[in-house]
Amino acid sequence: MSDLSRCSLNTATVKHASLTEAVDAAAAAGMGGVGLWRHQVQEHGAEAARRIVEDAGLRVTSLCRGGFLTASTDEGVRDAIAENTRAIEEAAGIGTRELVFVVGGLPGSSPEQPPAAGTDRDVVAARGRVADRLADLAPIAEQHGVRIVLEALHPMFAADRAVISTLGQALDLAAPFAASTIGVVVDTYHVWWDPALEASVQRAGREGRIAGYQVCDWNLPFATSALNSRGHVGDGYIDFATVSRWVAEAGYTGDVETEIFNEEIWAVDPHETARTVAERYAEHVAPYL
Amino acid sequence: MSDLSRCSLNTATVKHASLTEAVDAAAAAGMGGVGLWRHQVQEHGAEAARRIVEDAGLRVTSLCRGGFLTASTDEGVRDAIAENTRAIEEAAGIGTRELVFVVGGLPGSSPEQPPAAGTDRDVVAARGRVADRLADLAPIAEQHGVRIVLEALHPMFAADRAVISTLGQALDLAAPFAASTIGVVVDTYHVWWDPALEASVQRAGREGRIAGYQVCDWNLPFATSALNSRGHVGDGYIDFATVSRWVAEAGYTGDVETEIFNEEIWAVDPHETARTVAERYAEHVAPYL
């Protein structure tokens, strides 16, 4: 088996496993780390969650997720700052520098329903509020030694989840801040289609902002819930050799998280899923890093 | 009722109507034109199809669609050139200058199935072949007085339908050719999310390449078939006031086609659909043109 020290299991890939089960599965598969979600940290407390990971000989490679910054009301702004301050504290407590941000969609939007009457459709203004909230939160992150990691989401989620749709746009929003305070994650599922991807990855590397590399595949046909169409690396249409080489050439030497949202994969035994993740990483990603 | 002379019904919006029924519905709703599909031209012959439209006092605002240029085999290349030559001839025959191109996805890809063994996932090379085929086809289009109109498709279709995902990318591919030979269409559904949209629309206007403006809305939740999630203007999350203003400010004075793929709308009487299209155009688009 090839070197899996940079291979990390994002626990969303084994959604129905407990933290302990997920960590055990990642460790048994030989991986070097796990990416956690806030609900796990909150369930166990940061100290205990951190111990579960460290006792298995693993690292926490990132915490998902802060963000949701697009509210336009005073109350929504206050809530976003308070909630993300808690997320920053949790990231510090769990022992990771990297706090992934999904920045939010149009205010009041929902993946499950049409816009309500009076919905604010101004995506340009929503992006402006993301910039404002980053200015609010950057000093707090810096104080805790945590990096806000902006995640460009696939444009199919621009209305309801993230008004950042490209890596270049994430870098533009990060530009006013130190690279140690605001970075970006390259998630193949979200950015593989981007004609500017190679240039944006190079820029991200040059600016020292690549805080994570997440992999999963673009599967077709779409699952009934389009959000859950992601697949194991190698099962879909993404050219992992090329994207991984770009990320490596940009100077990234950090962890590679596999994060898959897929009902069918969630139904599989977590140990089996972790083994598949490790195998696919070894075959399709590691040779190009 | 406001001026509907620039309002056009793309016949895909009333998919189950015959050409005559679609034309009647558009004319009865007071519109100025219809956008046709090649199968309609082939069914009636270009002359007869053209007469059906003109006898109703309408114009053909565009023909859908040529394209599918990404084949990598010699035979695939020959077929693409032959098929698109026929499409160019049909556009000329039906009396429209504007032939919309959907450029194709990865060779062998399918919206209905995972990649077959050996699938070519090199999207960069596929884009290069699009550029090569445009160079082949541009002289043929020019000779027939037809403009190849590149359509950027939403990135959710990058694997299986179009490796052009942004308006800026379409403009880059068009750049080597005369604006009268290769243009672009701004389709709200496909490009609304793009952080570079305003700049790209301005550039398209400056370069004289805006060959069409197509409207339909971004509906959530996704339909079972994600391709058919498009909605009537005003039912979804797109800010038509802003995008329409950008298109107008870029100097576009041409037709505005409504093109909706939606099973529920296809089940509605075509006359009712055409009336809804006209009303939504008058309310959400025309005031900003």
Side-chain angles (χ1 to χ4, degrees), chain A residues 18-133:
Chain A
S18 70
L19 176 58
T20 304
E21 288 166 344
V23 165
D24 284 351
M31 299 183 192
V34 284
L36 301 191
W37 283 65
R38 290 187 61 201
H39 67 86
Q40 297 166 319
V41 180
Q42 291 162 0
E43 185 187 340
H44 293 271
E47 268 306 301
R50 182 178 188 154
R51 217 162 35 236
I52 290 171
V53 177
E54 291 180 351
D55 285 353
L58 301 182
R59 284 166 292 111
V60 180
T61 55
S62 75
L63 180 65
C64 287
R65 60 190 184 183
F68 299 94
L69 307 174
T70 55
S72 53
T73 62
D74 288 349
E75 188 190 358
V77 169
R78 273 195 307 270
D79 286 351
I81 294 173
E83 189 58 35
N84 282 293
T85 301
R86 277 190 290 276
I88 289 166
E89 292 165 354
E90 288 166 11
I94 197 79
T96 180
R97 273 190 56 71
E98 316 297 358
L99 174 63
V100 175
F101 263 39
V102 170
V103 299
L106 296 168
S109 63
S110 161
E112 303 303 337
Q113 58 194 41
T119 289
D120 173 6
R121 294 177 175 80
D122 188 343
V123 66
V124 177
R127 290 181 193 130
R129 291 193 296 275
V130 169
D132 293 342
R133 296 296 82 70

Side-chain angles (χ1 to χ4, degrees), chain A residues 136-261:
Chain A
D136 295 333
L137 291 164
I140 302 170
E142 193 179 4
Q143 186 189 332
H144 286 82
V146 166
R147 173 150 66 175
I148 293 169
V149 179
L150 299 178
E151 180 160 14
L153 255 56
H154 193 282
M156 70 199 286
F157 305 120
D160 56 312
R161 282 192 182 80
V163 296
I164 299 184
S165 305
T166 67
L167 189 58
Q169 189 191 0
L171 289 167
D172 288 345
L173 281 160
F177 307 98
S180 57
T181 305
I182 303 199
V184 297
V185 55
V186 178
D187 183 317
T188 54
Y189 185 81
H190 295 304
V191 302
W192 74 272
W193 59 270
D194 184 355
L197 184 59
E198 182 178 13
S200 292
V201 168
Q202 286 173 350
R203 174 183 166 197
R206 221 165 39 235
E207 297 179 356
R209 294 196 197 268
I210 306 182
Y213 179 39
Q214 291 188 332
V215 292
C216 75
D217 216 332
W218 179 264
N219 276 19
L220 290 176
F222 286 118
T224 308
S225 167
L227 180 61
N228 300 332
S229 286
R230 310 184 195 191
H232 275 298
V233 166
D235 284 350
Y237 285 95
I238 294 177
D239 180 355
F240 286 95
T242 298
V243 180
S244 299
R245 201 170 52 240
W246 289 342
V247 169
E249 287 172 355
Y252 183 69
T253 57
D255 297 303
V256 182
E257 278 188 20
T258 295
E259 182 191 51
I260 306 174
F261 296 173

